[in-house]
C-alpha cells in the first residue's frame, strides 16, 4: 500500500506532473459522464482502468487503451491493476494504445470533426429561392 496515493482534490498546476509520474490511472467511479480524467491520463501514455459504463465506455477501448471492468467487480478491478503492474509487455502495448486514443480527443481532432460536420451540413442545406 505504500505505492498507492489517494491524492484527493489537486490543482490544475499539479495535474500534469502527477499523471507523468503515475504508472497507471485507475478510477472505480461508475458515474463518469464523459471521462475527461481518462483522456488526460492517456495523453501522458498511462494505461487506464475504469468501469465499463457511461462516458468511460466511450473513451476507453478495452484491452487497447485501457482495461474496462463490469460495475461492482472489485476483484477484477484489483486484478487489472495487478496485471498492468506486473506485465511490462501488456503495460507497454496499452500505454501506446492510450497515447494513440488520446490523440482522437485533441483540440485539433475536435476542430477537424466539427469543421467536417459544418461542411456536410452546408453541402446538404436546402436551396433557397431567389
Amino acid at each position: 500500500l505504500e505505492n498507492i496515493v489517494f491524492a484527493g482534490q489537486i490543482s490544475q498546476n499539479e495535474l500534469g506532473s502527477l499523471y507523468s509520474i503515475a504508472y497507471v490511472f485507475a478510477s472505480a467511479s461508475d458515474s463518469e459522464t464523459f471521462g475527461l480524467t481518462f483522456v488526460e491520463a492517456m495523453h501522458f501514455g498511462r494505461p487506464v482502468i475504469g468501469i465499463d459504463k457511461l462516458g468511460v465506455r466511450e473513451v476507453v477501448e478495452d484491452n487497447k487503451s485501457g482495461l474496462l471492468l463490469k460495475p461492482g467487480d472489485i476483484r477484477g478491478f484489483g486484478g487489472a491493476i495487478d496485471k498492468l503492474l506486473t506485465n511490462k509487455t501488456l503495460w507497454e502495448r496499452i500505454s501506446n494504445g492510450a497515447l494513440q486514443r488520446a490523440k482522437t480527443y485533441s483540440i485539433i481532432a475536435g476542430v477537424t470533426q466539427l469543421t467536417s460536420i459544418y461542411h456536410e451540413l452546408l453541402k446538404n442545406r436546402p436551396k433557397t429561392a431567389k
Side-chain angles (χ1 to χ4, degrees), residues 4-79:
I4 297 173
V5 175
F6 294 97
Q9 186 173 358
I10 55 171
S11 73
Q12 278 297 121
N13 294 337
E14 298 173 291
L15 198 55
S17 61
L18 290 176
Y19 281 128
S20 68
I21 63 170
Y23 198 70
V24 299
F25 174 82
S27 174
S29 172
D30 66 356
S31 61
E32 289 285 334
T33 55
F34 174 71
L36 181 59
T37 55
F38 290 86
V39 174
E40 291 170 342
M42 290 187 298
H43 172 77
F44 286 90
R46 299 304 168 240
V48 297
I49 301 168
I51 303 303
D52 189 10
K53 193 174 171 187
L54 301 173
V56 178
R57 174 186 294 155
E58 302 300 321
V59 171
V60 179
E61 297 169 295
D62 190 31
N63 212 28
K64 292 181 182 175
S65 59
L67 301 175
L68 295 174
L69 289 299
K70 293 178 184 167
D73 185 2
I74 296 167
R75 289 193 189 280
F77 197 84

Side-chain angles (χ1 to χ4, degrees), residues 73-118:
D73 185 2
I74 296 167
R75 289 193 189 280
F77 197 84
I81 293 171
D82 186 57
K83 194 185 310 186
L84 285 172
L85 292 177
T86 59
N87 185 331
K88 185 175 179 162
T89 303
L90 177 66
W91 185 91
E92 288 174 347
R93 181 175 59 76
I94 293 185
S95 173
N96 288 329
L99 283 168
Q100 293 307 308
R101 183 67 173 161
K103 289 178 185 176
T104 66
Y105 291 96
S106 72
I107 291 173
I108 292 171
V111 169
T112 301
Q113 288 174 335
L114 186 59
T115 303
S116 175
I117 291 168
Y118 284 147

